[in-house]
Amino acid sequence: AIYIVSLLIISHTLAENPWESSFPGGYLSLGLQIGKTKDKTRYIDIQISPSIVLIGPYKHDLPGYLFFGSSIGKRYSKGNSFMYFDVNLNFWNVLFTLGTGRGVLLDKDKTYSRNKYWGGLGFIPIILCTDNYYINNNKYKQIGIMGTLPLPIFGNNFSP
């Protein structure tokens, strides 16, 4: 909670004159995903994802924004739950968004490698996601739809 409040305070402070800030800008996103595993088991994910702009169209010749961020979340399935943490790269413009992430799944006292990919239309905050992790050399593949609430944190890359 302190992390979220700090980001919102920083965003408000920088929003007054973002072009004068050394902070590049970014977003804090809240997400809810519903999906199915390969064996048709349903799951629900809840996550929070802070990200910062690496490259923006006003300072580089790029048709959108490249963000670097992380996600921390919790998955619920068949009465069980586990946490996960990922590091992400995400490209966004008004037409589309694409991203990838790598991280770990934390289940009780064990960690497992995890990767994910997502894509969607840039003007709708809903994305199609797929993620995979391996337990004892068995691949677990999931696919789902995630709704997001991106909260911008204004900085110098959001201004011409």
Side-chain angles (χ1 to χ4, degrees):
I2 292 173
Y3 182 67
I4 294 171
V5 171
S6 299
L7 284 174
L8 293 175
I9 290 169
I10 290 169
S11 178
H12 176 71
T13 302
L14 298 173
E16 292 179 18
N17 297 309
W19 56 90
E20 295 176 3
S21 170
S22 62
F23 180 69
Y27 66 86
L28 179 67
S29 178
L30 306 174
L32 177 66
Q33 180 178 354
I34 298 170
K36 284 198 269 186
T37 64
K38 190 175 177 181
D39 67 359
K40 308 293 185 219
T41 302
R42 296 193 186 281
Y43 67 85
I44 294 176
D45 279 7
I46 299 170
Q47 75 177 37
I48 185 168
S49 304
S51 296
I52 61 168
V53 176
L54 288 178
I55 301 172
Y58 297 119
K59 300 196 183 294
H60 303 88
D61 190 20
L62 186 69
Y65 293 94
L66 183 63
F67 293 94
F68 175 73
S70 62
S71 297
I72 186 167
K74 191 157 192 172
R75 174 164 294 177
Y76 300 91
S77 179
K78 294 194 295 187
N80 298 317
S81 67
F82 58 80
M83 300 283 295
Y84 59 87
F85 176 79
D86 302 313
V87 176
N88 308 310
L89 270 179
N90 179 29
F91 177 81
W92 178 89
N93 69 21
V94 174
L95 297 177
F96 65 91
T97 184
L98 297 170
T100 184
R102 301 285 183 271
V104 293
L105 176 137
L106 309 165
D107 188 20
K108 298 181 180 90
D109 59 345
K110 296 183 179 169
T111 61
Y112 304 100
S113 294
R114 167 181 148 92
N115 62 55
K116 65 181 182 180
Y117 304 95
W118 67 90
L121 300 174
F123 56 91
I124 299 173
I126 297 174
I127 53 177
L128 179 64
C129 305
T130 180
D131 64 275
N132 307 293
Y133 55 91
Y134 295 86
I135 299 177
N136 299 327
N137 293 326
N138 294 320
K139 182 177 182 179
Y140 293 85
K141 183 174 183 156
Q142 295 87 49
I143 189 164
I145 301 288
M146 179 176 280
T148 62
L149 176 61
L151 306 167
I153 303 170
F154 293 101
N156 63 37
N157 273 289
F158 292 121
S159 301

